[in-house]
Amino acid sequence: STSSKTYQGPLGGLPEEFSESLAEAGKDLAETAKAFLRETPNVRVAATTLLGMVLYYMASEFWFYSHRIAVPMSSPVIVYADKHGEIVDDYRETYGWIRNNTPEDARIMAWWDYGYQINGLANRTTIADGNTWNHEHIATLGRCLVSPEEEAHGLLRHLADYVLVWAGGGGDDIAKSPHMARIASSVYRQVCPDDPKCTTFKFNEDGEPSEAMSASLLWKLSQHKLQPLEEGGVVANPSLFSEVYTSKRGLVRVFRVENLSVESKEWVADPANRKCDAPGSWYCQGQYPPAFAEIIRDRQAFKQLEDFNSK
């Protein structure tokens, strides 16, 4: 009948009487299954046993997988063999070079992932490490790396003596850079204006970097002199950043920050400018030099979508 009601639920557009019949059939099937299990206890035992075996298998797989993954995750290595069996020692050699060829008071700017390695193996001060919980500081670090070269230098000259980048492809800093840009933009809105996800900081579909990525300091330092200029190569501005070391396979590169702000460095090193929880304590809050105050004035404190510390 043309006046018949239709069912607009998950099955969509079916006559109402048909959907009702289908529901009744489902109930009958469920009752039949229950009666069958009541009358055949052996089937119930078999089903319970099978379910137990499946759960045991899944739990065993999870246990073995967790312990198998725990070994490499709890024992990271920086010296390893590649697929050809050759030893890759770029990271350790770089940290050794820094330890032997830079002043003892040198400050190394690098993404926070490598902070402990630089501090422990190179014995140099880092701008951030894995225990840096201050999101605004990590965002400042990200801003330094993803900003255009000249703007980045205006920031870095107050913070660090050298910049270290991981290069060479794979999980290098370029691969991480869109994440760095999003973190920076969460505090410094001008990094990706009106684009909180920084969708413009990426590789394009043709594999080429976007305009924002290709202008960034990170791109300039990672790609520095890898190709001739006439073939689209990149060269960092030597009046701002000088290449001082590149590892054997090009996996790590170190650049010296030129035109360093000596005033800012001396201010940070002065014990009188340290805010410690007690005189002579090792626990001291980090402070930016006065010249950096104007730079961070326009930042916005980061707040998570779910801030459980606020009412």
Side-chain angles (χ1 to χ4, degrees), residues 202-211 213-214 219 232:
K202 61 178 182 178
F203 280 104
N204 297 322
E205 293 182 359
D206 58 2
E208 295 297 319
S210 65
E211 182 178 352
M213 179 181 283
S214 61
W219 181 262

Side-chain angles (χ1 to χ4, degrees), residues 194-240:
D194 302 318
D195 182 18
K197 294 185 178 180
C198 284
T199 56
T200 57
F201 199 100
K202 61 178 182 178
F203 280 104
N204 297 322
E205 293 182 359
D206 58 2
E208 295 297 319
S210 65
E211 182 178 352
M213 179 181 283
S214 61
S216 69
L217 173 66
L218 198 53
W219 181 262
K220 293 289 182 68
L221 301 187
S222 298
Q223 303 299 309
H224 177 69
K225 291 185 177 181
L226 294 184
Q227 292 181 326
L229 284 175
E230 55 270 18
E231 297 180 12
V234 174
V235 176
N237 187 339
S239 65
L240 304 179

Side-chain angles (χ1 to χ4, degrees), residues 94-96 98-100 102 108 117-124:
T94 299
Y95 300 139
I98 293 174
R99 183 177 61 251
N100 296 325
T102 63
I108 313 297
Q117 296 179 9
I118 295 170
N119 184 256
L121 298 176
N123 195 27
R124 293 295 180 268

Side-chain angles (χ1 to χ4, degrees), residues 42-166:
N42 291 336
V43 174
R44 283 185 293 173
V45 172
T48 303
T49 303
L50 179 61
L51 178 60
M53 293 174 63
V54 171
L55 293 176
Y56 176 79
Y57 172 78
M58 294 174 64
S60 298
E61 279 291 299
F62 177 77
W63 189 91
F64 284 114
Y65 177 80
S66 299
H67 283 73
R68 186 167 64 249
I69 293 298
V71 173
M73 291 190 69
S74 60
S75 304
V77 296
I78 59 173
V79 180
Y80 59 92
D82 63 15
K83 62 182 179 180
H84 302 294
E86 296 183 5
I87 299 299
V88 178
D89 197 16
D90 288 45
Y91 307 103
R92 188 189 64 84
E93 289 181 347
T94 299
Y95 300 139
W97 184 91
I98 293 174
R99 183 177 61 251
N100 296 325
N101 295 276
T102 63
E104 291 186 0
D105 65 347
R107 302 159 298 168
I108 313 297
M109 164 74 79
W111 189 233
W112 66 266
D113 294 18
Y114 331 124
Y116 285 139
Q117 296 179 9
I118 295 170
N119 184 256
L121 298 176
N123 195 27
R124 293 295 180 268
T125 297
T126 59
I127 306 303
D129 57 36
N131 199 39
T132 302
W133 290 14
N134 187 323
H135 180 89
E136 285 76 13
H137 182 63
I138 296 295
T140 301
L141 175 59
R143 181 183 174 185
C144 291
L145 295 173
V146 303
S147 293
E149 184 180 19
E150 188 169 343
E151 179 183 339
H153 180 266
L155 305 172
L156 279 166
R157 64 186 298 267
H158 296 289
L159 298 177
D161 302 275
Y162 296 87
V163 182
L164 179 149
V165 297
W166 278 22

Side-chain angles (χ1 to χ4, degrees), residues 246-265:
T246 296
S247 64
K248 180 180 178 180
R249 292 172 175 79
L251 300 180
V252 192
R253 312 192 73 176
V254 182
F255 292 79
R256 182 174 58 246
V257 180
E258 301 297 341
N259 191 25
L260 192 73
S261 173
V262 177
E263 181 181 359
S264 290
K265 184 172 183 177

